[in-house]
Amino acid sequence: MVSHPLYDKVTHAFQSRFQHSPQLVVRAPGRVNLIGEHTDYNDGFVLPVAVDRAVWLAVTPQSEAWATIRALDMRNDEKTFPVDRVPSSAGGWDDYPKGVVWAYLEQMKTLSGIQATLTSDVPIGAGMSSSAALELAFAYTWNHLEGFEISRDDLALMCQKAENQYVGVNCGIMDQMISACGKAGHAMFLDTRTLERNYCPIPEGIAIVVADSLVRRSLASSEYNVRRGQCEQAVRILKEYLPKITALRDVTPDELNRFGQHLPDVVLRRARHVVTENARVLLFAKALYQHDVTALRTLMVEGHRSLRDDYEVSAPELDTLVEATLEVPGCYGARLTGAGFGGCIVALVAENAVSEVEKHVVQIYANRYGQAPKVYITRPANGVEVIS
Ligand code: GLA
């Protein structure tokens, strides 16, 4: 027997909408990235964790080639679209499942229609990958129903392609890979160039605390694309001096020191963030293995500073959350997580200090900004899976 409130919610809603039990229930997690920010589109390293907040999807196949999906969190909004041809995009939540259909059709794979209900407790737009979770839930469901046996890596790549080309968001591969391949109790060290990965256990007694500033910046996606462009510009210029490089991943801190003078100042700062961040991910993974909490803290603090000053994707609200968290004894580090420009911070906290951190952060933030942040204590969970 599965015991989870969202399992009950999504299956009961399915039963009352479609008058029978779902054949399949799939869960696909959101994520929090511990370190390695804005490195994935530079072929670099990331260290995300799949969390115990997820999209839950209850499904039964149907003979007609249509998908009928009810989104419980969108005031029961229900959408129906074809699955035997590319459905047209309308810019809503259903663009994610439609994008998955598009990606399967691109591979000449035909899909059966589905009836589905959908719910999620991944906060939307907070930088915890609610959209990657949605994509993976549908991609995995069809893979399972049709017996395609597509690997998790390839599902992640298909979903990224759907997001880039169908939804129109130019993201890297981190979010889809961790929703596809996360492992309970572990962070995933991922080389985004080769998709090789190692799982680092999260040491006993350390909690992963996420605080959502509730700030959402409408410029986030255009600014994200500007950052990508600046990284590409850095590679184009540095290539004159380092002909073998194809991405900032290939540039060492020492090489950037030598040749950085040829870059415009802002481009140099963007490149410096990426190059130093890659180095930090490697050190952070080692520190996790060694339970070296002093190193973890230093690396997270440096990572945040680099995102704030060199990459310029922080916000005063995020800086406040990071500073407040770090003030509490037992906090082993904090930094903004995800793309930035609002959204969340992540902190590693001794389990016995979690309630103190939560109290302190809420108090400082509410005093300054007039509203409390949302605080989530998350546990590292598995990647997408069939629940029943
Ligand atoms: C978003 C993107 C990811 C990654 C992060 C920043 O979450 O979807 O691919 O680039 O921003 O690290």
Side-chain angles (χ1 to χ4, degrees), residues 69 77 79-81 87-100 134 166:
I69 309 167
D77 186 27
K79 294 281 195 268
T80 298
F81 55 84
S88 55
S89 151
W93 62 267
D94 52 322
D95 267 11
Y96 298 101
K98 285 174 175 172
V100 169
L134 198 49
Y166 185 90

Side-chain angles (χ1 to χ4, degrees), residues 104 136 140 143 148-158 177 180-181 195 197:
Y104 274 114
L136 259 303
Y140 193 81
N143 191 33
F148 289 144
E149 298 189 354
I150 300 171
S151 70
R152 285 173 184 265
D153 294 27
D154 286 340
L155 286 177
L157 288 164
M158 276 176 63
M177 274 300 284
C181 305
L195 301 190
R197 52 193 173 265

Side-chain angles (χ1 to χ4, degrees), residues 31 33 36-41 129 171-175 224 338-339:
R31 64 103 184 89
N33 188 21
E37 221 62 85
H38 293 277
T39 47
D40 64 348
Y41 51 83
S129 294
C171 61
I173 190 61
M174 166 169 71
D175 305 345
Y224 183 90

Side-chain angles (χ1 to χ4, degrees), residues 34-347:
L34 297 184
I35 198 154
E37 221 62 85
H38 293 277
T39 47
D40 64 348
Y41 51 83
N42 290 295
D43 276 1
F45 308 119
V46 293
L47 196 80
V49 173
V51 293
D52 53 354
R53 291 184 159 263
V55 165
W56 292 74
L57 183 63
V59 183
T60 294
Q62 61 171 352
S63 47
E64 297 95 84
W66 291 88
T68 298
I69 309 167
R70 176 172 282 200
L72 308 183
D73 313 304
M74 301 288 170
R75 289 198 231 102
N76 284 337
D77 186 27
E78 191 169 295
K79 294 281 195 268
T80 298
F81 55 84
V83 300
D84 56 353
R85 56 187 184 273
V86 175
S88 55
S89 151
W93 62 267
D94 52 322
D95 267 11
Y96 298 101
K98 285 174 175 172
V100 169
V101 170
W102 169 85
Y104 274 114
L105 293 174
E106 281 273 292
Q107 297 195 357
M108 313 299 281
K109 292 196 160 63
T110 50
L111 302 177
S112 60
I114 53 169
Q115 299 175 322
T117 51
L118 166 73
T119 189
S120 168
D121 59 359
V122 187
I124 294 173
M128 290 181 76
S129 294
S130 55
S131 38
L134 198 49
E135 292 153 6
L136 259 303
F138 282 96
Y140 193 81
T141 293
W142 267 303
N143 191 33
H144 185 88
L145 290 176
E146 309 293 348
F148 289 144
E149 298 189 354
I150 300 171
S151 70
R152 285 173 184 265
D153 294 27
D154 286 340
L155 286 177
L157 288 164
M158 276 176 63
C159 289
Q160 183 202 17
K161 197 169 166 197
E163 181 138 357
N164 292 169
Q165 296 184 31
Y166 185 90
V167 181
V169 175
N170 210 7
C171 61
I173 190 61
M174 166 169 71
D175 305 345
Q176 287 78 13
M177 274 300 284
I178 186 65
S179 189
C181 305
K183 184 168 163 188
H186 294 73
M188 183 172 84
F189 172 86
L190 175 70
D191 179 336
T192 63
R193 171 172 278 167
T194 61
L195 301 190
E196 271 169 47
R197 52 193 173 265
N198 289 308
Y199 292 94
C200 314
I202 300 295
E204 288 282 307
I206 294 190
I208 300 171
V209 178
V210 175
D212 184 353
S213 65
L214 304 174
V215 173
R216 307 285 184 262
R217 293 271 144 79
S218 55
L219 280 178
S221 95
S222 58
E223 284 294 318
Y224 183 90
N225 289 337
V226 169
R227 298 298 181 283
R228 284 190 75 135
Q230 289 163 332
C231 292
E232 285 158 17
Q233 189 186 351
V235 173
R236 275 197 306 275
I237 298 172
L238 290 171
K239 229 177 167 18
E240 288 179 33
Y241 310 93
L242 301 162
K244 290 209 179 108
I245 65 167
T246 58
L248 282 178
R249 145 73 177 277
D250 303 313
V251 179
T252 64
D254 183 49
E255 286 167 339
L256 193 64
N257 274 340
R258 279 169 53 213
F259 302 113
Q261 53 177 309
H262 302 290
L263 301 175
D265 176 62
V266 65
V267 176
L268 171 60
R269 287 189 290 116
R270 304 303 188 243
R272 187 164 61 205
H273 165 71
V274 174
V275 169
T276 57
E277 183 81 347
N278 275 327
R280 279 188 290 273
V281 181
L282 295 168
L283 293 171
F284 194 94
K286 196 165 142 210
L288 263 186
Y289 276 117
Q290 297 175 341
H291 298 201
D292 182 350
V293 292
T294 314
L296 292 177
R297 182 173 166 120
T298 308
L299 291 163
M300 287 181 97
V301 167
E302 283 173 1
H304 183 77
R305 201 178 297 140
S306 174
L307 286 163
R308 185 191 64 196
D309 300 340
D310 276 347
Y311 221 62
E312 294 181 285
V313 293
S314 190
E317 292 88 346
L318 295 173
D319 299 340
T320 300
L321 288 173
V322 166
E323 282 154 26
T325 311
L326 289 170
E327 278 164 12
V328 182
C331 173
Y332 301 141
R335 54 180 284 282
L336 78 81
T337 184
F341 313 105
C344 294
I345 67 133
V346 59

